[in-house]
């Protein structure tokens, strides 16, 4: 999500809306959705899920155990990311500190086997929780890329070009005069 502005030499430059999005009501809604999903999953796995798992045949039972572990891991990683971002939003840590901490959070390696006979034999409640968690993961990954990877790319682009680094310093010092 960007819009164009011009820099000191009149060249169009991107304006990043991700930081505004991350502090908006949209983020608050995403945060609430994530935390609610964590709670709903815990209640399910400790209650109805435990009962449903006991009724499954062996292959489906193994798939249930695997998917419930993946689901739990995915949700804990997502909750960690959401809590870090909330800490940034509330001024408890800087975006740079969160960026360093978020490197411990693995958002991109959390897959799920949502096809095949074992998947089809899983309780619908578990499948729905898995699908909802994957959709939440996709949204968080997208926001994470907008917030952090663009900054990392800018730093990498600037690192090798001293002219760009100087222009950025001037721009930061004097704002966009044009």
């Amino acid at each position: 999500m960007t819009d164009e502005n011009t820099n000191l030499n009149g060249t169009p430059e991107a304006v990043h809306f991700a930081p505004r999005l991350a502090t908006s009501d949209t983020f608050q809604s995403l945060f609430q959705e994530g935390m609610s999903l964590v709670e709903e999953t815990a209640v399910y796995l400790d209650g109805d899920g435990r009962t449903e798992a006991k009724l499954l045949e062996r292959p489906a039972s193994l798939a249930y155990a695997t998917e419930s572990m993946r689901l739990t891991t995915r949700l804990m990683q997502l909750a960690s990311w959401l809590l870090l971002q909330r800490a940034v939003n509330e001024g408890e840590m800087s975006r740079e500190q969160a960026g360093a901490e978020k490197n411990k959070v693995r958002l991109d390696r959390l897959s799920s086997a949502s096809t095949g006979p074992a998947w089809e034999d899983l309780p619908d409640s578990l499948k729905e929780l898995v699908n909802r968690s994957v959709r939440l993961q996709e949204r968080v990954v997208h926001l994470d890329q907008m917030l952090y990877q663009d900054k990392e790319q800018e730093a990498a682009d600037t690192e090798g070009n001293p002219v760009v680094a100087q222009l950025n310093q001037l721009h930061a010092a004097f704002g966009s005069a044009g």
Side-chain angles (χ1 to χ4, degrees):
M1 295 183 120
T2 61
D3 194 3
E4 285 193 6
N5 236 357
T6 54
N7 62 16
L8 292 174
N9 62 7
T11 306
E13 130 184 323
V15 174
H16 299 280
F17 289 107
R20 289 187 194 128
L21 177 64
T23 59
S24 71
D25 289 341
T26 303
F27 173 78
Q28 188 58 33
S29 174
L30 182 68
F31 181 86
Q32 290 298 339
E33 180 183 342
M35 293 303 142
S36 293
L37 188 56
V38 167
E39 187 176 330
E40 183 181 343
T41 299
V43 168
Y44 169 77
L45 291 174
D46 279 344
D48 292 344
R50 193 176 301 244
T51 304
E52 291 174 347
K54 290 177 183 176
L55 303 173
L56 297 173
E57 299 291 326
R58 179 124 174 99
S61 179
L62 290 172
Y64 181 93
T66 301
E67 287 305 320
S68 63
M69 285 191 313
R70 286 178 178 163
L71 173 61
T72 302
T73 301
R74 180 182 305 107
L75 288 174
M76 290 301 101
Q77 295 296 311
L78 292 171
S80 295
W81 190 93
L82 289 166
L83 288 166
L84 277 172
Q85 187 57 47
R86 186 178 73 172
V88 170
N89 293 352
E90 294 180 357
E92 295 172 8
M93 66 181 0
S94 70
R95 185 162 313 284
E96 291 74 27
Q97 290 171 316
E101 285 298 312
K102 80 162 199 72
N103 288 331
K104 299 172 188 171
V105 177
R106 296 287 168 223
L107 297 174
D108 56 346
R109 297 187 184 139
L110 305 171
S111 64
S112 222
S114 58
T115 58
W119 172 261
E120 295 305 320
D121 293 338
L122 291 176
D124 288 337
S125 299
L126 178 66
K127 291 191 289 190
E128 182 187 337
L129 289 168
V130 168
N131 289 330
R132 287 172 51 203
S133 73
V134 168
R135 285 192 305 272
L136 180 67
Q137 175 187 359
E138 290 166 355
R139 291 166 49 207
V140 167
V141 166
H142 182 69
L143 183 56
D144 179 75
Q145 288 171 342
M146 289 190 311
L147 286 169
Y148 296 99
Q149 291 180 359
D150 287 346
K151 292 285 186 197
E152 292 168 8
Q153 185 60 46
E154 281 178 21
D157 291 346
T158 302
E159 194 172 291
N161 189 335
V163 174
V164 171
Q166 289 297 315
L167 285 173
N168 287 341
Q169 286 179 348
L170 285 169
H171 181 62
F174 298 108
S176 54

